[in-house]
Amino acid sequence: MSSATTERSAPGAPVPQYVPTEHRVTFAGLLRSEWIKFWSVRSVVTTMLVSVVAIVGLGALLSWAVASSLADPGAGRTPGPPGIDATGASLQGAQLASLALAAVGVIVIAGEYSTGMVRTSFTTAPGRLGVYAAKALVLAVSVAVVAGLAVFAAFFVGQAVLDTQDAGASIGDDGVLRAVLGHVAMVVGFALAGLGLGALLRNSAGAICTVVAAIFVVPLLLMALPESWGGEEVRAYWFSNTVTNVTTVPQQAEFLGVGAGLAVFAAWVAVLLGLGAAALRSRDV
């Protein structure tokens, strides 16, 4: 049988006063919190890994297919490298991975709405925009580093494969480094666009479907738009088409130039992020 003893203050002793400590939320603290949350969500980590595999694996596979066709030319063809875009062949995987990375951007914010965790985040930082900015910065840095390494790896692996048929490109060739970095800028921009749409729609499935349509479906539909209705201008200024010449070595006259394309693409991303920020401030959780 045990007995419990309770300490009592001596008669006349002052009662200790507990003063609550005020903890100020800083942007550095928000960044640390969002970094931990980003890399703690299994679906985010899995999608990032899938993106790396897609960028490197598909780039190597397509480069191997091109090299094989050069090694065994069909009837009527002469051996040797035709006018192929060696850089584009090795980076095709980044085009597909951009969808997965855009989905990561959606999950980062819309996933918290589905679980209810966003209430805790906004209670900690009532201004909301600090949380949103921290999410955007963590997302941009994470995608830039992970996808950037994968894009460069895909390029060098692909060129090594193509060099077996003397068809590879060098990173120092005209337009090659710009195209490689352009793919990195593209996937980061798509991820941030996904974040903006996720904040705006607050539904993962709806936002992912919207960003997929914006990247791949709408450009195909715009090809049927008559020139008399401004089809050429609409196609050139459409979101995913603006980076066409940024990500390719051979330039296509029907699309915006590198500088203009980057500027318009950045404007698209900024508008989508701005719409998401406005929705955060004006709508209840």
Side-chain angles (χ1 to χ4, degrees), residues 251-268:
Q251 300 290 281
Q252 302 181 46
E254 63 268 27
F255 294 106
L256 298 175
V258 174
L262 274 177
V264 176
F265 181 66
W268 271 99

Side-chain angles (χ1 to χ4, degrees), residues 238-252:
W238 179 251
F239 174 50
S240 56
N241 288 344
T242 57
V243 289
T244 298
N245 282 330
V246 179
T247 58
T248 56
V249 174
Q251 300 290 281
Q252 302 181 46

Side-chain angles (χ1 to χ4, degrees), residues 1-89:
M1 190 171 183
S2 62
S3 60
T5 59
T6 305
E7 294 184 3
R8 298 180 179 276
S9 300
V15 178
Q17 300 294 322
Y18 296 96
V19 179
T21 303
E22 181 180 353
H23 296 280
R24 183 180 178 184
V25 178
T26 63
F27 188 67
L30 291 175
L31 281 175
R32 185 165 52 251
S33 173
E34 292 303 326
W35 179 268
I36 294 172
K37 285 193 290 184
F38 184 91
W39 291 106
S40 299
V41 178
R42 184 177 301 176
S43 59
V44 169
V45 176
T46 301
T47 307
M48 293 286 282
L49 292 176
V50 168
S51 300
V52 171
V53 172
I55 293 172
V56 179
L58 290 179
L61 184 62
L62 185 56
S63 298
W64 174 80
V66 173
S68 297
S69 68
L70 296 177
D72 184 21
R77 289 177 49 193
T78 57
I84 63 170
D85 180 8
T87 303

Side-chain angles (χ1 to χ4, degrees), residues 28 81 118 124 126 168 181 195 213 233:
V118 71
T124 304
L181 293 176
L195 179 68
E233 289 76 15

